[in-house]
Every structure is written in C-alpha cells, then in structure tokens.
Amino acid sequence: MNPTLGAAILGTGDVTGGHIRAYQSNPHTEVRAILSRDRGRAEAHARAHGLPHCRAYTSLDDLLQQDDIHIVSICTPHHLHVEQGIACAQAGRHVVVEKPVALDLDGLRQLENSIREAQVRSIVSFVLRWNPMFDLIRGLLAQDAIGSLFYGEVDYLHGITPQLALYPWVRRREFGGSALLTAGCHAVDALRWFARQEATEVFCYANTSPGNPLDYEYEPNSVALIQFAGGMMGKVATSIESVAPYTFPVVLMGNAGTIRNNQVYSKRWAGQTGWAAIPTILPDSGAVDHHPFVPQIAHFVDCIQRGVESHCNVADAVKTHEICLAAEISRLERRPVSLPLP
C-alpha cells in the first residue's frame, strides 16, 4: 500500500529516531521532511535513517507550505513546543507533540485553544501509555483484580547528567521548567491513566542535593501529593539527579489487593499466598529505542483515518500539565493548590 500521510519531523535529537522508525513501520505514513536550524544536519539525519526522498528545511513556514505534509512531530526543545504547535495547527496539520507541551499556563491554554479551533488531531508523547506493563495494569484494573483504588504512587528516577545530549539545555530553568515538567510528567500522566479520576488538589516539596553537583537552575528533585475526586490519593517522586540506574516504579493499592509493577496480590484469587509476577516488558529504561513509539503512532494514524480523538490528545494532556504547574505553585507558595487551574 502506498503511504497516504506525509510526516515531518521537527528537530534532529535522539527522540526523533523513535518517531522516524514508527512512521517507517506504518504502511500509511512516510517521512517527507525534517526541520533543523542546520540544513546539513537535517540532510545527514535523513541519510542516517534511510530516507532518500526526505527534504531538509530550516524554516517551519516553508515546511508547512508543502501540501504533502499531513502530520508534524514536534521533537524540539520544550520551550519551542507551543509556538511550533500553534503554527502547525493553524496550517491544518495534525500534531504529535513531545512532552512537556508547554512550560507555563498561558502557553498551555494557547496551544489547547489553537488545536481545538483548527479542528486537527493531536497526540502528546506520553508514550508509556503503550508500554506492555501499562496494558497489563490497565487490564487488571478493568477486571477489578484489586478492587477500588485508594492509593497510588508512580515515580520517575533518572539522573540527567552531562553525559546525556539533552543535559545542557534541560538544566536551565527557561528550557526545563521544573523536574516534573521536564521528566516527571510521565509519572504524573501514568498515575492519571491508572486512577481514572480527576485530580482536585496538589501539594509539593522540592529540593537540590547538597552542593548542586549537576548545576541545575531549578530543584531537580520533587515529591508531589495529589488528591483525586474519587477519594484516591497519590504520590509522584521525581529525581533527575538520581545516582542510580533509571527506574519507573508503580504501586497501586485497592481494597482487594495491590499491584507493584508487574506483580499482583489479590484477595479475589483464593489460595494466593504471595506476589504473582506476570512476565511483561517493564518501563525500566530511559533509552529512546525502548519506548513504544510504533504503537503510539499507529494509534494516532488510526485516529486520523477514523476522524476520532486520541485518549492522549492535547486536551487530555492539559490535565497532566496542570498537575505539574500546580505543583510548582505549591512549591513556591508552600500551600495546597486546587485543580483545575483558572
């Protein structure tokens, strides 16, 4: 089948490889353009990924004038996402936005409004929603294996050090925003995805380890406490100066059992005397090639073809980002912050 949807990639960083491979794996899509400040870099990136017919651009306006571009993946640094997302939506292009989609509330509202007014499809790369362990947990919850949730915690622990390409700009406040926005939003989104309840209040503490060895301009460690409308409470710990291998632990407690990553204990299973471990793929690596971009993009293409919204669109992602932004307000003002934000 000939591809019917042309895709453009904004940026040439590590994460773009996951997007490119996902489009290459889909029979309905083809990567036709790459944007970079350096045309030679964009051309080299296309060659490296086996894209002989892909065009290189240094101007987003020029790229958006091309009629054969239908989907744009925004994989640039965080502070560019709002402006580029609005431009793509206003040009009638469907939008894939890497997280975080915005670093402040005004930008978040502007992007959300532009997507809605343009009536284009959108998806935010909370790509772990397609991780097999997440599918497993959602299935257990749907089967009522642990009853009604009353507590959940999801943590993001990943030392972003000078050895990583994104470190020089992530460490700066104007580009990273906060530990939750730049990284921990994955954990916040996961907690929402499992809770299936609206968050109503957030309280947050944050700090820097003694001596600030990684020279972050903001607190790279935080703990956010979240109250949900159904009575469930949650905790998200984030550390981007963690001195340990990457981990993404999940604990969910219900009135009939507990889930701990791929382990489950349920009083509904007569005779169970200990944790039952279910083989699956855990979200235990920060490497781009570990992330399930292929099913995420396949889901988005299906949404475009059927004319329906994704469960992970910008409108839904706003709720995750509001929790992160409310946590920053709480940290600064040392008070609980109600949701949704004004």
Side-chain angles (χ1 to χ4, degrees):
M1 180 182 296
N2 292 326
T4 56
L5 297 172
I9 309 293
L10 308 191
T12 56
D14 289 346
V15 75
T16 61
H19 287 250
I20 290 171
R21 287 188 290 273
Y23 289 122
Q24 289 174 318
S25 298
N26 194 293
H28 305 289
T29 58
E30 178 181 50
V31 178
R32 295 172 180 164
I34 294 178
L35 176 80
S36 173
R37 292 175 297 177
D38 183 336
R39 184 181 300 274
R41 185 178 177 90
E43 291 171 345
H45 203 58
R47 289 194 299 271
H49 287 89
L51 301 170
H53 306 298
C54 180
R55 306 182 298 271
Y57 292 89
T58 59
S59 165
L60 180 58
D61 288 341
D62 289 346
L63 186 155
L64 293 176
Q65 291 177 16
Q66 309 307 308
D67 293 336
D68 65 342
I69 301 299
H70 309 95
I71 306 171
V72 179
S73 275
I74 301 174
C75 305
T76 49
H78 308 337
H79 66 293
L80 300 175
H81 292 177
V82 170
E83 179 182 355
Q84 292 177 336
I86 290 173
C88 292
Q90 291 178 343
R93 304 309 196 266
H94 304 296
V95 179
V96 182
V97 192
E98 272 296 326
K99 59 77 199 164
V101 302
L103 295 174
D104 57 49
L105 189 59
D106 286 343
L108 188 65
R109 296 285 186 251
Q110 290 172 26
L111 180 60
E112 180 185 20
N113 290 338
S114 294
I115 295 286
R116 183 180 63 251
E117 291 169 2
Q119 297 183 351
V120 296
R121 304 298 170 203
S122 66
I123 191 168
V124 175
S125 273
F126 287 125
V127 70
L128 292 179
R129 290 194 184 194
W130 287 269
N131 173 267
M133 190 189 85
F134 278 45
D135 289 339
L136 170 65
I137 291 174
R138 289 269 294 187
L140 289 169
L141 295 175
Q143 296 166 26
D144 202 32
I146 65 168
S148 299
L149 294 179
F150 61 85
Y151 177 75
E153 60 181 60
V154 183
D155 300 333
Y156 184 102
L157 310 175
H158 181 199
I160 299 179
T161 65
Q163 288 69 43
L164 299 179
L166 75 167
Y167 167 80
W169 58 267
V170 163
R171 58 164 287 275
R172 297 179 60 186
R173 183 179 293 277
E174 66 176 307
F175 301 146
S178 71
L180 268 179
L181 279 171
T182 203
C185 58
H186 273 304
V188 173
D189 190 73
L191 187 59
R192 285 190 56 238
W193 187 232
F194 298 140
R196 297 168 295 176
Q197 301 176 23
E198 297 294 333
T200 59
E201 189 175 88
V202 179
F203 188 84
C204 181
Y205 289 109
N207 74 1
T208 303
S209 68
N212 189 15
L214 296 181
D215 195 30
Y216 273 92
E217 292 184 354
Y218 54 90
E219 293 75 5
N221 313 294
S222 68
V223 177
L225 305 178
I226 306 166
Q227 182 70 51
F228 290 89
M232 177 183 167
M233 59 182 179
K235 182 268 287 183
V236 172
T238 301
S239 177
I240 52 176
E241 62 169 1
S242 170
V243 186
Y246 176 104
T247 54
F248 196 95
V250 176
V251 175
L252 300 170
M253 298 182 183
N255 59 3
T258 298
I259 294 170
R260 186 174 64 189
N261 294 336
N262 64 322
Q263 297 179 308
V264 60
Y265 180 84
S266 174
K267 69 179 185 181
R268 301 198 191 288
W269 300 345
Q272 185 178 8
T273 59
W275 292 100
I278 304 174
T280 188
I281 298 173
L282 278 67
D284 57 1
S285 171
V288 170
D289 57 6
H290 181 76
H291 297 339
F293 287 105
V294 170
Q296 179 200 10
I297 293 299
H299 160 80
F300 188 48
V301 169
D302 181 64
C303 289
I304 292 171
Q305 292 177 328
R306 294 194 295 119
V308 300
E309 291 289 350
S310 168
H311 57 72
C312 201
N313 64 3
V314 166
D316 180 80
V318 162
K319 298 177 182 179
T320 294
H321 285 69
E322 282 195 346
I323 293 174
C324 299
L325 293 169
E328 183 66 2
I329 296 171
S330 173
R331 179 192 71 81
L332 291 169
E333 300 183 4
R334 294 184 174 273
R335 65 176 178 87
V337 176
S338 296
L339 293 168
L341 293 176

